[in-house]
Amino acid sequence: MTSEELETLLSTLYHALRTKRRRLVIQIIEKRNSNVLSTRELARKITSEEMGVRETHATGEPYRNAYNALSQTHLPTLDAASIVIYDPKRQMVSRGNYFELAALLLDTNISTVELVSALIRNGESESGT
């Protein structure tokens, strides 16, 4: 892979990881043993996470909003980046060619932000600010 191709790939991956719902899709799929998930299942899990309720209570308008956003925007974006394979006719999602790389970027970035935030907080408390 040339440096230009690598730069394009990184830009594509970071663009796809830019929204919370897309990051949640990756985290949900990463935790699953199953290779294929339905859009409905993803929408229910995301609604549950966003609302702070059990999945059985993730219903109504919030669920419909999550389902529509996944179907119309988030899953096609992740598919275009080859992070997932999205079948809009069957409403099914599976891991794409760059899924593991995207998951690694996400895990690394989250860990780094948590570490740096803790260091900053500790530095502020030690300096009395």
Side-chain angles (χ1 to χ4, degrees):
M1 184 176 285
T2 68
S3 61
E4 187 175 311
E5 290 170 331
L6 180 60
E7 185 64 34
T8 300
L9 173 60
L10 282 172
S11 293
T12 300
L13 292 173
Y14 277 119
H15 172 75
L17 295 173
R18 166 179 106 173
T19 68
K20 183 177 181 178
R21 282 187 175 165
R22 291 183 208 146
R23 293 189 301 268
L24 284 172
V25 166
I26 293 167
Q27 291 170 330
I28 291 166
I29 293 172
E30 188 176 30
K31 290 177 186 173
R32 293 285 303 218
N33 293 330
S34 173
N35 289 333
V36 179
L37 281 89
S38 71
T39 305
R40 290 175 190 259
E41 185 176 359
L42 284 169
R44 190 156 319 277
K45 288 182 179 300
I46 287 172
T47 304
S48 170
E49 173 77 22
E50 289 176 347
M51 295 182 64
V53 299
R54 291 191 314 247
E55 285 182 42
T56 55
H57 292 95
T59 61
E61 192 64 27
Y63 165 79
R64 284 189 293 279
N65 287 341
Y67 181 87
N68 289 334
L70 285 171
S71 297
Q72 296 171 7
T73 304
H74 300 304
L75 294 175
T77 298
L78 291 171
D79 182 80
S82 296
I83 295 171
V84 302
I85 299 167
Y86 172 54
D87 181 345
K89 291 182 182 172
R90 293 181 49 231
Q91 290 294 304
M92 301 300 284
V93 181
S94 59
R95 294 173 186 223
N97 290 336
Y98 292 120
F99 180 85
E100 297 301 329
L101 180 56
L104 177 63
L105 286 172
L106 183 57
D107 292 343
T108 303
N109 286 331
I110 289 171
S111 298
T112 302
V113 168
E114 288 171 344
L115 175 63
V116 171
S117 295
L119 291 172
I120 291 170
R121 282 192 305 274
N122 288 339
E124 289 174 352
S125 65
E126 291 175 6
S127 66
T129 55

